[in-house]
Amino acid sequence: YAYITELPTKSIPLSSGSDGNLFGEFPSLPEKDRRILHRSKRGWMWNQFFLLEEYAGPDFQYVGKLHSDQDRGDGTVKYILNGDGAGSLFLIDENSGDIHATKRLDREEKAYYTLRAQAVSKRTGRPLEPESEFIIKIHDINDNEPKFSKETYVASVPEMSDVGTFVLQVTATDADDEQYGNSAKLVYSILQGQPYFSVESETGIIRTALSNMNRENREKYQVVIQAKDMAGQMGGLSGTTTINITLTDVNDSPPRFPHSSYHLSVLESAEIGSTVGRIKANDADIGENAEIQYSIIDGDGQDVFSISTDRITQEGIITIKKPLDYESKRMYTLKVEATNTHLDHRFLHLGPFKDSATVKITAQDVDEPPIFSRNPYIIEVHEDTAAGSFIGAVAAWDPDASIILCRYSIDRHTDLDRLFNIDSGNGSISTLQSLDREMSKWHNISVVATEINNPRQTTRVPVFIKVLDVNDNAPEFAMFYETFVCENVKAGQLIQTISAVDTDEPLVGHKFAFSLTTVNPNFTILDNEDNTARIFTKRSGFSRRETSIYLLPVVISDNDYPIQSSTSTLTIGVCACDRDGNMKACSAEALLRSAGLSTGALVAILLCVIILLMIVVLFAALRRQKKKEPLIISKEDVRDNVVSYNDEGGGEEDTQAFDIGTLRNPEVMDANKLRRDIIPEMLFPFRRTSPIKDNADVRDFISSRLQDNDADPTAPPYDSLATYAYEGNGSLAESLSSLESAATEGDQEYDYLSNWGPQFKKLADMYIGKDTDTDIA
């Protein structure tokens, strides 16, 4: 079995020799080119059919012919085709073996088809040759244009780059067959973007084509690249893409001040750290290339002002470093320098990358408050200083004027006791009262200085007044002593050790001397010369029955100037003691005296306790009388208990207790009602009240109703509740109240009820029907 391909423009008939060798004739070739092909018989021969894609002829496209050497031309051989597209896309003539394509084929969808052919006997249906496989390959035509992977590319390249700097590589693909012809051979060219950029025709690499491209002049470029197949020849297909190229910044622009000098002003009262003003050097670069560092390099204000950089706006912020004084210096000059922080050494030849400017700052005058010579003032004064004595002075001046024009005063909130006074003219401070160091050692007052020309300008200064000690207090016992002596005491027995205190504070320290006012036959005193003294018995044999209490006057003196002394009395009680000197019993008077309480004081304390107990008993009795008997006496009685009250309800009267609707509808007419809480002696005719105007005040409405009720002769002589009821307004039926009707009801026509709408249909049926019945009767 053999087959041979069908050329696109030549018809190649197939034949086989009687010896089984396959040969093909080419009638379109010269006779000398014809030759016989010999081969050993193999049944099937492998080869390929070639078919043009996108065939547009009116008939089916002829593919080729299959022929078996077993076919004698007598019509007994049948050709069968199987595989890709057999029977639908490819048809075979079962008698002749001719193969045709029924549809247009696209190589880009499927480049080749694999089919199987077999020759069978029509008589027996048995295969004459083994089944074999062959391929139909689609010949490519240039029917696909090149396509880029992106419609738009984004790229960047540093400004001032050299010619030929790589920017980006773009690549296009062509769906046509690269192995066949030039259909997929692409050539790149630039359609837009010259003379700034160029593209390599074979690789699609885009490079810079112009030197010294400056971002500050132009930042963005749009380049259009074309890819054309057929190696760029005429008739080839093409595709394009767009590349948006941005020049990135480099530090090639130095900072420059727009002005050579700046003038700023600031109030002399501005606080330290406050902003005086801002200056800025312009830099055409962006990002870190535009970052600027400001500094003060010269000028007479370097110690007074400082400058820093605002990292967001790249401005120089001038601030105050020291207080300003208009009266001392009014003008300052600064030389400020701006320098780039990130330098690019490739472009240093374009520098210098710094610039300087002169800044003049003027201090403006401010009406400043007075200034004290010191802050604070400390004044010392002796506590025995007489009232009205001068103790010190303060001084303040107006910094805005050469003449001191200030008025002084004391803030009385700091001197509530009015102990001091100040001269409003010269600031001298004096005492209004005598001072006592033992009550207060320090006095803190505030002195206010006020400008006479501008009273709103004031200044406060604290004045600390220290009261110096003067020995004006006598020493006394350090504590209350509970002293007793035993009846069986012996002479020379120590019964008490005493000490003293003094509220004064001498510079050297306290030194007390103890002595008795007179010679005492019972006791004696011994000064220990360490601010203490000991009391001894002078005899033995004390008796409670004879004398239960002894009073011993002790004189205590200090050693300061002037010497102060006092007499303190030591109370000594006589008690019964055991042999060891432990107290066993004392008289009541002795105990009271030793405790510091008199008999009268003890009696008063006992009376108070008795009165308190009586009050408690009386209160408990009152509470017991007020306790009521419970409704349910037994807790175990769980049956229902009925508790009756003598309070009657108002019945239907309760529904008229109060109607808020009367306050919301003041414009509805009110008709007097008979009082329901009493039976009137006589019936009075109805009185109509005047209608309330629109938007009447509720208070006026209530007042008018109150007057009407007070004038009603049927009202009882006691307080009662008068209610007012009103109907709503806005109804199509207007008021349905019978209060405004005539005293006698006349005949009425109710036909108008049918015109009020479906809401009154039931009412209309009732009254219209009733009226009809009356007429019939």
Side-chain angles (χ1 to χ4, degrees), residues 269-318:
S269 60
E271 297 180 355
I272 295 176
S274 59
T275 301
V276 178
R278 292 172 174 247
I279 60 175
K280 184 178 181 180
N282 297 327
D283 194 328
D285 296 321
I286 58 175
E288 67 175 13
N289 296 322
E291 292 182 2
I292 300 174
Q293 182 68 39
Y294 295 90
S295 60
I296 300 175
I297 60 175
D298 197 5
D300 56 1
Q302 294 185 76
D303 297 335
V304 182
F305 302 96
S306 62
I307 189 169
S308 60
T309 303
D310 188 331
R311 293 305 175 187
I312 298 176
T313 61
Q314 297 301 317
E315 294 177 315
I317 307 174
I318 300 176

Side-chain angles (χ1 to χ4, degrees), residues 542-554:
F542 290 90
S543 176
R544 288 183 295 167
R545 295 176 181 178
E546 295 179 0
T547 305
S548 61
I549 295 175
Y550 292 92
L551 300 178
L552 182 63
V554 178

Side-chain angles (χ1 to χ4, degrees), residues 455-526:
R456 292 179 299 179
Q457 293 292 346
T458 61
T459 303
R460 293 173 175 266
V461 66
V463 178
F464 303 124
I465 300 174
K466 182 179 181 181
V467 180
L468 301 179
D469 184 46
V470 173
N471 191 24
D472 57 347
N473 291 279
E476 57 187 10
F477 281 151
M479 56 181 294
F480 176 78
Y481 295 101
E482 296 179 359
T483 307
F484 69 94
V485 62
C486 295
E487 290 179 313
N488 56 355
V489 69
K490 297 180 180 181
Q493 183 69 41
L494 174 65
I495 62 174
Q496 185 68 59
T497 301
I498 59 175
S499 63
V501 292
D502 193 340
T503 55
D504 294 324
E505 291 184 358
L507 297 177
V508 179
H510 290 293
K511 182 63 177 177
F512 302 124
F514 300 88
S515 62
L516 297 179
T517 56
T518 60
V519 177
N520 191 294
N522 301 312
F523 305 99
T524 184
I525 189 170
L526 178 62

Side-chain angles (χ1 to χ4, degrees), residues 159 214-219 249-250 252-253 284-286:
E159 64 174 330
N214 197 339
R215 185 199 64 83
E216 287 73 30
N217 296 332
R218 182 178 177 182
E219 183 178 5
D249 186 61
V250 298
D252 60 339
S253 299
D285 296 321
I286 58 175

Side-chain angles (χ1 to χ4, degrees), residues 410-421 431-436 439-440 442-445:
I410 295 177
D411 185 354
R412 290 304 174 184
H413 292 91
T414 61
D415 184 24
L416 298 177
D417 296 331
R418 303 185 68 86
L419 300 176
F420 306 97
N421 189 29
T431 58
L432 290 176
Q433 302 178 26
S434 59
L435 306 178
D436 188 357
M439 293 182 62
S440 179
W442 287 90
H443 297 277
N444 304 330
I445 64 174

Side-chain angles (χ1 to χ4, degrees), residues 13 30 100 120 186 242 260 292 296 359 421 445 454 474 548 610 627:
H100 291 83
V120 299
L186 305 181
T242 302
S260 60
I292 300 174
I296 300 175
V359 180
N421 189 29
I445 64 174
N454 186 4
S548 61
I610 294 173
K627 188 178 299 183

Side-chain angles (χ1 to χ4, degrees), residues 560-575:
D560 204 354
Y561 180 81
I563 295 176
Q564 299 288 341
S565 63
S566 66
T567 301
S568 298
T569 301
L570 183 65
T571 302
I572 304 173
V574 180
C575 300

Side-chain angles (χ1 to χ4, degrees), residues 4 189 666:
I4 192 169
S189 61

